[in-house]
Amino acid sequence: MTIEYIPEPQTRGGTEEFGLTWQGITLPREILDRHGARILDPWSGPLDQGERRPDSTVYRSNVLLVPGQALISDESVGWIDGALSELGLRLSPVSVERARGRDYGSENVWMPAVLEIDGSRQDVDVDAWRALRALRRALSREPDDRAGRAELAMISLDHLFVGSATSGIGSLDLGGEPATSGHAMTDQPGTRSRPEYGRMPVTVVAGPPPRRPLEDLGGPRITVVTLDTGVAKHHPWFRPVTDHDAFLSVDPDGQRQIEDTHPAYADRDIARLVGYEDLGLPANPLLGMLNTHAGHGLMLAGLVAQIAPDARVLMYKVMHSDGIVPGEALHAALDRLLWRLDHGEPVDVLCCAFGGFSEAGDAAMQALFDKVNQLRARGVIVVNAAGNYATTRPFYLAALSETAVSGPPLAPMIGVAAKNPDGTIAIFSNEHPAVRWRAPGAMVVSTFPPQFQGAQNAALTTGERASLDVDAVGPFCAWSGTSFAAPIVAGCIAAELTRTIGQVGVDPVERARSVVDMMINDKLVRPEVVPI
């Protein structure tokens, strides 16, 4: 197994730009409805004179992300409501009150604010994109020295991100090539059933890799944080998350903070993130078919365990089993990591096996980039999946990995593409100038929740004797996607950082940069293997 670093960014012809602005947005209607979301169509919306036509993106239709510092100001909330009045909208008072229950420090914290109909207006289109345009138009008429202008300018859409596994959403159906689309099971309506790159049960005869006791390491374990579908109980490789020094661990208090950011959608709740467990919720309970990203988080944890067993994985549940990551949940998780670091809790590597497209390039993701950079300033190495849409269109956060940031040095940020077993680039993998790392990501084998039995849960089995049922996965499976290339790189980084545990007084940013530089200088990174 090798990991490659590409020293020179990819280039194209002198006039050709990377990416097609329409490419990659293919979420089915039932997913959009479940999350109260819309797809922004670049060609269907109105424009003002001189306004740039947006690119396609996915966003919560009735929610804006607003800096908490603006929501605690009566003046700013009044200004927002005044600007939205032309559309018949206002901020939900409940959202404002919930936001005011938070303790805000000096750094920006983005909170979800629900849009609701103002007064008795009729036939109001509650659309966050139209609301955001109205706010920007109103702000352009304000003086530059207006109080609170900086926070008001940072209001953004609540983007939905998607997991980067080749199942249902999160990948592009290239249409016809036998190893590029679909997977070996029936998930969401309309998906295909072909065996090559999809989730497939396998048998692993080996046990978990040996792990040294904590007292033998000479210091605290390296912590790899994954933001994913949550943990699963009763896997033979992992002790309970409540055990002392368990490889796979959780943060219940932080998880409750993520849950608390979730606003209501009109008079009913949309899909909620509850608890830290991956419940493996089926797409259709009566049929028992597994959802597209059920078990995704445990796959990541198992890959890190195979490479860096002396480390530990701390997982936050931000991804639904259908693969959707709400923007407000992502912000809340990053806020919690900053809190942990400021209170002496270790965070060494952050692995994000998801991403998304934006309507305005890097600018639309600036708030998220700023938050990640606060982690990098504290020494956290950030590893991002490149995405599975077979496109060069910027996929965030990976597309920001090589973006220069002024000020003091930051820990590295890495974008990872996927390779096939023979070393070629997987045909589903995105490419981009900022994606400079490639790791195995096609049919990699890792841990899977053994209790996820798919159709068997719906009592559709005829007995004990059966053919291989690809939605009745056991403790292990093979799966594909840049989702799994990213934790392989994160695991290799954790293994190298483990060698530095005994060092005292080393600046965490310098340690992070030196470890990644060492991996780059090796050209091909090979986890240590001892032949037998």
Side-chain angles (χ1 to χ4, degrees):
M1 198 262 315
T2 60
I3 296 173
E4 299 175 57
Y5 173 77
I6 312 304
E8 296 296 330
Q10 305 160 65
T11 59
R12 291 292 186 269
T15 60
E16 182 178 354
E17 295 184 1
F18 269 83
L20 299 171
T21 59
W22 52 265
Q23 193 167 9
I25 308 299
T26 56
L27 297 187
R29 180 76 258 169
E30 58 268 26
I31 296 292
L32 297 174
D33 288 345
R34 185 169 188 262
H35 295 278
R38 295 187 182 191
I39 295 177
L40 178 58
D41 183 350
W43 301 102
S44 65
L47 293 176
D48 295 337
Q49 185 176 12
E51 183 180 5
R52 175 189 180 273
R53 188 171 296 280
D55 298 332
S56 58
T57 192
V58 185
Y59 64 100
R60 293 271 298 280
S61 60
N62 72 323
V63 178
L64 289 172
L65 288 184
V66 182
Q69 289 81 350
L71 293 176
I72 62 177
S73 165
D74 289 336
E75 180 183 358
S76 292
V77 170
W79 182 89
I80 293 172
D81 285 345
L84 295 177
S85 63
E86 65 178 84
L87 304 178
L89 297 174
R90 67 172 184 174
L91 296 182
S92 161
V94 174
S95 294
V96 174
E97 289 304 314
R98 290 173 77 253
R100 290 180 176 181
R102 286 284 299 272
D103 181 21
Y104 301 104
S106 59
E107 295 170 337
N108 285 313
V109 175
W110 278 262
M111 297 294 293
V114 175
L115 300 171
E116 66 176 26
I117 298 173
D118 183 14
S120 59
R121 295 280 293 270
Q122 294 180 326
D123 296 329
V124 175
D125 182 12
V126 185
D127 181 2
W129 171 241
R130 292 189 65 201
L132 182 60
R133 292 181 66 244
L135 292 175
R136 289 174 175 171
R137 186 185 303 120
L139 192 60
S140 69
R141 298 192 290 263
E142 294 286 336
D144 292 341
D145 59 351
R146 187 201 186 283
R149 182 187 180 95
E151 289 77 20
L152 295 172
M154 288 188 267
I155 297 175
S156 69
L157 294 176
D158 184 6
H159 297 90
L160 294 189
F161 300 85
V162 295
S164 294
T166 54
S167 297
I169 68 169
S171 56
L172 182 68
D173 185 352
L174 298 183
E177 290 80 4
T180 61
S181 59
H183 43 81
M185 60 171 287
T186 304
D187 274 327
Q188 300 285 6
T191 58
R192 302 171 184 242
S193 297
R194 282 199 284 262
E196 286 81 4
Y197 279 144
R199 184 169 50 192
M200 191 73 181
V202 297
T203 299
V204 173
V205 297
R211 190 173 194 236
R212 288 181 290 175
L214 183 59
E215 53 269 20
D216 291 352
L217 292 180
R221 296 191 185 277
I222 297 300
T223 298
V224 179
V225 173
T226 57
L227 308 180
D228 220 270
T229 56
V231 302
K233 294 180 178 178
H234 312 309
H235 193 279
W237 271 26
F238 301 121
R239 293 155 53 186
V241 295
T242 55
D243 283 9
H244 173 67
D245 196 35
F247 175 83
L248 185 55
S249 59
V250 294
D251 174 10
D253 290 340
Q255 195 66 53
R256 282 189 288 271
Q257 181 175 316
I258 294 170
E259 291 180 37
D260 189 51
T261 66
H262 194 87
Y265 174 55
D267 58 348
R268 62 184 175 89
D269 282 343
I270 61 172
R272 292 184 65 90
L273 290 164
V274 179
Y276 55 74
E277 292 183 22
D278 184 344
L279 303 176
L281 298 175
N284 187 328
L286 296 181
L287 297 180
M289 295 178 296
L290 291 181
N291 225 327
T292 59
H293 285 65
H296 190 266
L298 205 66
M299 283 284 296
L300 270 62
L303 290 168
V304 177
Q306 293 176 60
I307 300 170
D310 289 330
R312 74 180 186 114
V313 167
L314 172 62
M315 186 177 297
Y316 290 90
K317 181 177 175 180
V318 302
M319 184 186 295
H320 294 266
S321 59
D322 59 14
I324 292 294
V325 179
E328 75 269 10
L330 177 54
H331 273 282
L334 297 176
D335 287 334
R336 181 63 179 182
L337 294 183
L338 289 168
W339 182 91
R340 289 180 67 92
L341 286 163
D342 291 342
H343 287 77
E345 297 288 340
V347 178
D348 300 291
V349 184
L350 172 62
C351 181
C352 299
F354 55 83
F357 301 110
S358 83
E359 75 282 5
D362 296 355
M365 292 292 164
Q366 190 61 45
L368 188 58
F369 190 45
D370 290 344
K371 190 67 63 65
V372 169
N373 287 340
Q374 294 172 27
L375 292 171
R376 297 171 64 197
R378 292 161 169 83
V380 179
I381 301 171
V382 181
V383 183
N384 304 292
N388 305 333
Y389 288 94
T391 181
T392 54
R393 181 182 174 187
F395 187 76
Y396 299 94
L397 286 166
L400 293 168
S401 297
E402 295 289 322
T403 301
V405 179
S406 60
L410 302 177
M413 183 166 166
I414 291 171
V416 186
K419 298 196 300 180
N420 290 312
D422 65 357
T424 56
I425 301 173
I427 197 168
F428 57 77
S429 183
N430 290 354
E431 296 188 49
H432 187 268
V435 176
R436 307 277 285 275
W437 296 73
R438 296 172 184 161
M443 296 310 286
V444 297
V445 174
S446 188
T447 50
F448 194 85
Q451 66 269 33
F452 292 178
Q453 293 302 311
Q456 291 186 6
N457 290 343
L460 298 182
T461 180
T462 58
E464 294 183 359
R465 182 179 176 86
S467 62
L468 180 63
D469 183 356
V470 294
D471 74 343
V473 185
F476 305 93
C477 81
W479 205 348
S480 302
T482 58
S483 272
F484 311 117
I488 287 176
V489 173
C492 289
I493 291 172
E496 293 300 329
L497 285 172
T498 297
R499 304 176 190 271
T500 72
I501 284 178
Q503 298 177 5
V504 179
V506 178
D507 178 75
V509 173
E510 289 304 315
R511 181 184 70 161
R513 292 167 68 90
S514 63
V515 163
V516 172
D517 285 344
M518 181 273 298
M519 294 174 64
I520 291 174
N521 291 334
D522 282 351
K523 300 294 190 296
L524 295 176
V525 179
R526 296 178 174 85
E528 186 174 348
V529 176
V530 179
I532 58 173

